[in-house]
Amino acid sequence: MINRTSGRILAASIAVLFSACQKVIDVKLSPGASKYVVEGVITDQPGTCSVFITTTKDFSADNTFPGVSGATVKVESDGTVYSLTETSPGTYATSALTGKPGKTYTMTAIVDGDTYTASSTMPQPVGLDSMYVSNGVRSNKLYVTMTYTDPAGIPNYYRWVQYINGLEGQAIFISDDELTDGLTITGQLNYNNNTNDPKRDIKIGDTVRMDMICMDSAVYEYWYSLNTEASGNGSANSPGNPISNITGGCLGYFSAQTVRTKTIVVQ
């Protein structure tokens, strides 16, 4: 259980260093066992309602996960049901539905006779006040520093996704406002390029885009547990699978989330 506090000083400014991990998560299943993985998202931006369905593989198998075709996928809101069309193997989408903050959305996916369901409520959006790139605290590499203002008196759950020249970063950046309710936060998104891929390091002249995502508590728990496993902080006796908000026995998550984007060119 994550406790929340409110009523802290408004418009105060604090500095936070956000660290992240990029380790690949190995799903710990017995040889031969497999589960469906359902990853669904609806945002407040047009054309972003989609569900991707794959299956897990044996621990020793390769790291490719082909999509699962032939599923029936629907999203319901306020009594209206929207059917998603398979646009490519395992990817189901509709452009007929754009999410609205405050609304609850329910996803149903029927795969080979098994039914998986999840509900998610879209929070109000929060965007970045500012964003720039500077040297790290303990490194000469460049990292994004950002500022945003947390709305006071309500729980908020955040995730940031970084793109460098259109390439999506692998790092997981998440935070809640348990200790920062109502504050203005300045933080640097610090991460390790453990693949030593120069395309993932920020350089002068690069275009850096940051998506700031607001999600509900259940989806935050998914990303928090995923990040815990990636960081190597999970219990050796606990499963290596992140906490899912989907019922029916599959892995994955369904998130009704807002997205605000800011893009800069590194000078």
Side-chain angles (χ1 to χ4, degrees):
M1 179 68 65
I2 299 177
N3 294 322
R4 293 289 170 263
T5 58
S6 61
R8 293 190 172 88
I9 300 173
L10 288 173
S13 180
I14 62 174
V16 180
L17 181 67
F18 294 100
S19 61
C21 182
Q22 300 180 96
K23 183 179 178 182
V24 175
I25 306 300
D26 292 316
V27 178
K28 298 174 177 60
L29 297 175
S30 301
S34 66
K35 285 189 175 183
Y36 289 112
V37 181
V38 179
E39 299 171 288
V41 170
I42 178 172
T43 83
D44 60 340
Q45 305 300 310
T48 56
C49 180
S50 62
V51 175
F52 186 45
I53 303 176
T54 57
T55 59
T56 60
K57 286 188 173 182
D58 290 348
F59 185 79
S60 59
D62 61 60
N63 201 32
T64 60
F65 301 93
V68 175
S69 293
T72 300
V73 183
K74 300 178 180 181
V75 174
E76 182 270 336
S77 178
D78 289 338
T80 302
V81 178
Y82 300 83
S83 295
L84 278 61
T85 301
E86 187 171 9
T87 58
S88 62
T91 300
Y92 303 81
T94 179
S95 59
L97 178 60
T98 300
K100 294 182 179 180
K103 296 287 187 180
T104 298
Y105 298 88
T106 299
M107 179 210 68
T108 301
I110 302 174
V111 190
D112 289 337
D114 295 322
T115 300
Y116 307 104
T117 61
S119 293
S120 181
T121 300
M122 185 176 293
Q124 296 299 316
V126 178
L128 293 176
D129 298 332
S130 64
M131 183 175 84
Y132 60 91
V133 170
S134 60
N135 287 335
V137 176
R138 301 180 183 88
S139 171
N140 290 326
K141 289 188 177 183
L142 297 176
Y143 300 104
V144 169
T145 295
M146 61 183 190
T147 299
Y148 67 95
T149 302
D150 179 81
I154 58 173
N156 291 280
Y157 308 90
Y158 303 110
R159 176 176 171 237
W160 296 272
V161 181
Q162 177 176 279
Y163 299 80
I164 302 173
N165 299 323
L167 181 65
E168 181 178 348
Q170 297 177 332
I172 300 173
F173 299 112
I174 57 171
S175 182
D176 63 14
D177 65 348
E178 181 177 5
L179 301 177
T180 57
D181 182 66
L183 300 180
T184 295
I185 297 96
T186 297
Q188 188 173 75
L189 299 180
N190 195 5
Y191 66 98
N192 293 318
N193 182 357
N194 59 356
T195 63
N196 293 319
D197 182 354
K199 294 180 181 179
R200 297 190 182 279
D201 285 334
I202 300 174
K203 302 176 293 298
I204 300 297
D206 283 349
T207 298
V208 178
R209 165 186 153 193
M210 189 66 64
D211 288 353
M212 184 168 181
I213 296 169
C214 295
M215 54 197 166
D216 65 18
S217 60
V219 178
Y220 176 79
E221 290 285 359
Y222 169 86
W223 288 107
Y224 182 87
S225 61
L226 180 64
N227 193 51
T228 298
E229 290 296 333
S231 302
N233 296 324
S235 168
N237 297 320
S238 65
N241 302 333
I243 299 169
S244 177
N245 67 334
I246 304 176
T247 63
C250 71
L251 303 176
Y253 68 98
F254 172 66
S255 179
Q257 59 194 37
T258 61
V259 181
R260 294 295 180 268
T261 298
K262 188 174 286 291
T263 302
I264 60 173
V265 176
V266 181
Q267 303 294 327

